[in-house]
């Protein structure tokens, strides 16, 4: 991919770094510090800090971990863009499940980058996104393409399957979600059909791989 370069006379690209691991933030900061056209505007260790930092420093873009304790990256993305619709935010992840990616892109993410690809893609990605492009790591793009047209579960179906993944029987799931056991069975039938699964164990395996549910 050809990515835009920034003239030395231009204002530096101001980047907000969001990750709950200080070592990763430090690595990102070092990489950015080595570029004459970039600077770290601020750092945040979780989603709530990220929302506050964006409002405070108004960076050009943010690099934000998808999986963080408390307010996750997706929730922070949604909160920031609710206040600042033009915010450019690239999500960082160790996992390329298509469901997480599709939700983040639908929420307005400017890109998706695998943490394993940071060393080779980070600088070009920042310039591309700052230039108005959307950037998705090739590995993630391949995962999206492989699941093109695949159905996502509804929020309730995902809740039912998450409960099933914890080893709960239908009666227990019904109690936890305050719905009838027949409703749980109906949701499970829909889940199996949408995921093309043979049984609930198979459904859980598929959903974990696609990032629909987590452990």
């Amino acid at each position: 991919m050809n990515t835009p370069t920034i003239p030395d006379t231009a204002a530096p690209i101001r980047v907000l770094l969001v990750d709950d691991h200080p070592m990763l933030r430090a690595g990102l900061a070092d990489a950015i510090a080595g570029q004459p056209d970039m600077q770290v505007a601020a750092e945040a260790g979780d989603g709530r800090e990220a929302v506050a930092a964006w409002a405070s420093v108004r960076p050009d873009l943010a690099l934000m971990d998808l999986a963080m304790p408390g307010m996750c990256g997706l929730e922070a993305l949604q909160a920031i863009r609710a206040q600042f619709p033009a915010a450019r935010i690239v999500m960082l992840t160790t996992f390329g499940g298509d469901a997480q990616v599709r939700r983040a892109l639908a929420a307005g993410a400017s890109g998706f980058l695998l943490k394993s690809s940071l060393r080779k893609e980070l600088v070009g990605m920042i310039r591309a996104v700052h230039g108005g492009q959307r950037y998705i790591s090739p590995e993630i793009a391949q995962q999206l393409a492989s699941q093109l047209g695949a159905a996502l579960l509804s929020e309730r179906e995902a809740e039912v399957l998450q409960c099933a993944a914890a080893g709960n029987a239908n009666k227990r799931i019904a109690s936890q979600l305050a719905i009838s056991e027949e409703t749980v069975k109906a949701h499970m039938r829909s889940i199996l059909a949408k995921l093309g699964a043979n049984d609930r164990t198979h459904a859980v395996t598929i959903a974990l791989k696609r990032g629909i549910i987590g452990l």
Side-chain angles (χ1 to χ4, degrees):
M1 172 183 290
N2 293 324
T3 56
T5 57
I6 309 297
D8 291 341
T9 56
I13 304 169
R14 301 172 65 250
V15 183
L16 168 63
L17 304 179
V18 186
D19 196 286
D20 58 317
H21 293 96
M23 291 298 293
L24 179 66
R25 294 202 310 271
L28 291 171
D30 285 346
I32 290 171
Q35 303 301 316
D37 58 336
M38 302 175 191
Q39 69 179 40
V40 175
E43 296 186 24
D46 59 38
R48 295 190 186 284
E49 289 182 7
V51 175
W54 187 284
S56 175
V57 305
R58 305 290 179 89
D60 294 307
L61 63 89
L63 305 179
M64 183 149 54
D65 187 17
L66 182 64
M68 294 184 289
M71 177 183 279
C72 71
L74 178 59
E75 292 170 329
L77 165 69
Q78 292 168 331
I80 291 171
R81 284 185 56 85
Q83 298 180 64
F84 307 97
R88 293 172 177 167
I89 302 173
V90 176
M91 309 306 293
L92 306 178
T93 183
T94 57
F95 175 64
D98 73 293
Q100 292 178 323
V101 177
R102 288 162 67 178
R103 284 194 291 263
L105 292 177
S110 295
F112 239 95
L113 191 62
L114 284 173
K115 290 184 178 181
S116 60
S117 301
L118 285 172
R119 184 178 297 274
K120 63 181 179 180
E121 297 181 42
L122 176 66
V123 171
M125 177 275 296
I126 290 174
R127 293 187 180 126
V129 171
H130 183 257
Q133 299 181 38
R134 178 173 279 186
Y135 189 98
I136 301 177
S137 286
E139 295 92 337
I140 295 177
Q142 184 176 8
Q143 177 71 8
L144 283 173
S146 70
Q147 296 293 341
L148 194 63
L152 286 177
L153 302 186
S154 69
E155 183 176 346
R156 177 60 87 185
E157 287 168 345
E159 289 175 339
V160 168
L161 193 55
Q162 186 73 63
C163 291
N168 295 299
N170 288 346
K171 186 174 182 178
R172 177 62 177 164
I173 295 173
S175 176
Q176 289 181 339
L177 300 181
I179 57 179
S180 71
E181 190 171 352
E182 286 304 314
T183 299
V184 172
K185 292 178 181 178
H187 282 314
M188 193 58 68
R189 287 193 295 270
S190 177
I191 290 167
L192 297 180
K194 285 184 176 181
L195 298 183
N198 300 323
D199 52 40
R200 68 170 59 200
T201 300
H202 189 203
V204 167
T205 301
I206 294 170
L208 287 170
K209 182 178 180 181
R210 291 183 55 192
I212 296 172
I213 62 172
L215 289 179

